[in-house]
């Protein structure tokens, strides 16, 4: 543990408000943790980040840091003793770790939400049980099941690792005429999901916060464009028919409520030519496609997370301006001086030292002004 923090407040009963001045524990130290810690500091909270490296983006701005493995029970116990509530910025924190922590301090969102969202099959089955559409899919774990699934669904299809995939990693396209078992081997075999390829017209996401009292607050659907399967830009708002936007919002709210989530849920969706909305993925944490909310919404997704996990009222989600968020990947972050020269651009850099290709180094939010500047 490094950094200074006081003792956690005396044990806080579930459902009560965790007031400013308290310490929020965050599992994970990436840029999402960094932006959460900055939002928390604005409201007078301290953040204690639990991560793997002292120089992670979140650790750089936190009041205290624990550097240890996610299965290190001694380190987890020490961390839990110093915080008042625990949240997360990475959805692949081991579920057992969260269950163990929950015996000591409130964990929001809880381990059961993570158990669903860490597994693409569990996630899609959960959505389908609520009557929410997804691509047609099959869970597979053997070569025979891969052959049967692609026979049922037809090709083209996508095969994805059931767990631990992100930014398009652990995925292979199965084109007509290919051997689907080769595609399965290429992603490392094991538990996987085969999905029909959706001929979408656009990709959108909805971010919804849910408080301890069940209150919901969602942001307008936004349109996401990917390059090499990594998010490149988010356009706010998505250009959608009102009925499609309403269906997307409704689906995200239903998912958050059905999960009994306390925190922030990002739901990625495909929109088809007939205006239908199909869920692709969900993440029970702030999301890259919600970064625009820092500069262009009444309350940011990060502040919303702080409010939800501390039992505060959720903030207004009004959009203050239209916007385009652009990720700064790899060495594009070197453009920072040009960005600063643009009066409508807001620059966010994550403090990462090594600009590897495709690595998220920062982002820009470009505000699209509806009114001329006041002066
Ligand atoms: P994911 O990791 O599931 O978010 O997938 C990364 C990207 O691959 C998505 O944002 C889509 O652009 C594309 N993709 C994933 N699944 C499908 C699908 N079933 N149909 C069409 N495109 C997909």
């Amino acid at each position: 543990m490094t950094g200074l923090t006081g003792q956690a407040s005396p044990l806080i009963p579930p459902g009560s408000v965790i007031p400013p001045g308290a310490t929020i524990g965050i599992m994970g130290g990436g840029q999402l943790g960094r932006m959460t810690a900055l939002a928390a500091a604005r409201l007078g909270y301290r953040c204690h980040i639990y991560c793997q490296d002292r120089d992670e983006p979140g650790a750089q701005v936190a009041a205290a840091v624990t550097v240890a493995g996610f299965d290190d029970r001694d380190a987890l116990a020490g961390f839990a003793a110093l915080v008042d509530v625990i949240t997360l910025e990475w959805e692949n924190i081991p579920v057992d770790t969260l269950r163990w922590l929950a015996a000591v301090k409130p964990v929001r969102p809880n381990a059961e939400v993570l158990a669903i969202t860490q597994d693409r099959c569990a996630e899609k089955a959960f959505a389908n049980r609520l009557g929410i559409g997804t691509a047609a899919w099959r869970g597979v774990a053997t070569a025979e099941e891969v052959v049967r699934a692609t026979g049922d669904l037809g090709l083209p299809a996508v095969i994805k690792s059931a767990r631990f995939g992100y930014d398009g990693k652990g995925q292979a396209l199965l084109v007509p005429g290919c051997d689907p078992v080769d595609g399965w081997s290429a992603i490392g075999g094991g538990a996987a999901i085969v999905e029909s390829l959706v001929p979408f017209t656009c990709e959108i996401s909805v971010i919804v916060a849910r408080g301890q009292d069940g209150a919901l607050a969602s942001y307008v659907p936004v349109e996401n464009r990917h390059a090499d399967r990594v998010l490149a830009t988010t356009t706010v708002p998505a250009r959608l028919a009102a009925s499609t936007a309403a269906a997307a919002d409704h689906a995200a709210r239903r998912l958050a409520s059905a999960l009994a989530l306390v925190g922030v849920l990002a739901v990625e969706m495909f929109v088809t030519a007939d205006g239908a909305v199909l869920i692709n993925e969900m993440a029970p944490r702030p999301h890259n496609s919600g970064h625009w909310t820092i500069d262009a919404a009444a309350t940011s997704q990060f502040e919303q997370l702080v409010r939800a996990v501390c039992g505060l009222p959720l903030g207004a989600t009004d959009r203050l301006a239209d916007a385009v968020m652009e990720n700064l990947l790899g060495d594009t972050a070197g453009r920072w001086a040009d960005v600063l020269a643009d009066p409508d651009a807001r620059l966010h850099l994550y403090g990462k030292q090594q600009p590897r290709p495709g690595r998220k180094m920062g982002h820009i939010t470009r505000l699209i002004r509806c009114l001329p500047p006041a002066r």
Side-chain angles (χ1 to χ4, degrees):
M1 210 268 295
T2 56
L4 264 188
T5 187
Q7 285 296 313
S9 312
L11 196 58
I12 293 171
S16 61
V17 169
I18 295 169
T23 301
I24 302 170
I26 303 178
M27 300 298 285
Q31 61 266 21
L32 302 176
R34 178 185 182 95
M35 290 182 271
T36 303
L38 294 172
R42 184 161 158 261
L43 294 184
Y45 292 93
R46 292 161 182 267
C47 285
H48 184 146
I49 297 247
Y50 191 108
C51 62
Q52 317 289 296
D53 184 318
R54 179 64 187 83
D55 197 40
E56 285 185 47
Q60 293 173 19
V61 304
V65 181
T66 296
V67 179
F70 288 125
D71 57 355
D72 181 336
R73 293 286 155 96
D74 290 340
L76 290 166
F79 165 77
L82 291 170
V83 302
D84 296 296
V85 63
I86 297 169
T87 189
L88 50 98
E89 64 101 53
W90 188 52
E91 68 273 28
N92 287 323
I93 307 290
V95 166
D96 282 351
T97 294
L98 296 177
R99 287 197 181 115
W100 190 86
L101 286 169
V104 192
K105 286 290 158 70
V107 176
R108 298 167 182 157
N110 67 28
E112 308 331 306
V113 171
L114 274 279
I116 294 168
T117 56
Q118 283 179 0
D119 184 306
R120 290 183 188 272
C121 297
E123 180 172 83
K124 287 204 166 59
F126 187 85
N128 293 160
R129 272 199 301 277
L130 295 175
I132 296 175
T134 59
W137 64 275
R138 298 282 186 280
V140 295
T142 63
E144 293 70 39
E145 286 172 350
V146 173
V147 171
R148 200 176 322 129
T150 49
D152 286 354
L153 299 173
L155 297 180
V158 192
I159 188 163
K160 308 175 182 176
S161 300
R163 302 171 69 84
F164 302 117
Y166 69 99
D167 287 345
K169 295 190 172 58
Q171 302 193 10
L173 187 62
L174 305 177
V175 292
C178 78
D179 181 347
V181 176
D182 288 347
W184 177 61
S185 304
I187 62 163
I193 187 169
V194 179
E195 299 176 12
S196 293
L197 197 68
V198 176
F200 56 78
T201 54
C202 69
E203 293 187 76
I204 63 168
S205 54
V206 172
I207 293 175
V208 57
R210 183 173 178 278
Q212 289 175 55
D213 58 357
L216 294 165
S218 53
Y219 296 91
V220 67
V222 298
E223 187 172 330
N224 299 320
R225 199 176 54 76
H226 296 81
D228 294 332
R229 301 194 175 202
V230 178
L231 184 67
T233 63
T234 294
T235 301
V236 187
R239 291 151 289 190
L240 298 174
S243 57
T244 304
D249 183 69
H250 183 66
R253 286 170 170 260
R254 281 206 67 204
L255 287 164
S257 294
L259 287 167
L261 169 114
V262 176
V264 168
L265 182 73
V267 186
E268 294 183 65
M269 312 173 198
F270 301 129
V271 178
T272 58
D274 59 359
V277 164
L278 301 175
I279 304 297
N280 178 34
E281 250 198 317
M282 44 186 180
R285 53 160 172 78
H287 191 259
N288 197 168
S289 67
H291 290 358
W292 68 273
T293 59
I294 299 175
D295 298 304
T299 310
S300 78
Q301 61 168 347
F302 302 101
E303 179 173 333
Q304 212 67 296
L305 175 64
V306 171
R307 287 175 177 242
V309 304
C310 292
L312 309 180
L314 299 179
T317 53
D318 305 61
R319 183 171 87 258
L320 306 177
D322 291 353
V324 177
M325 190 284 309
E326 183 188 336
N327 269 336
L328 291 172
L329 303 173
D331 55 17
T332 61
R335 286 166 40 206
W336 59 266
D338 293 342
V339 178
L340 290 175
D342 177 348
D344 290 331
R346 302 288 180 272
L347 177 68
H348 300 258
L349 294 175
Y350 306 149
K352 297 181 184 177
Q353 300 296 325
Q354 303 298 328
R356 289 193 296 276
R359 190 175 193 208
K360 292 176 181 171
M361 305 297 289
H363 72 269
I364 309 166
T365 303
R366 291 184 197 283
L367 303 176
I368 300 165
R369 294 180 197 253
C370 306
L371 294 171
R375 65 186 168 86

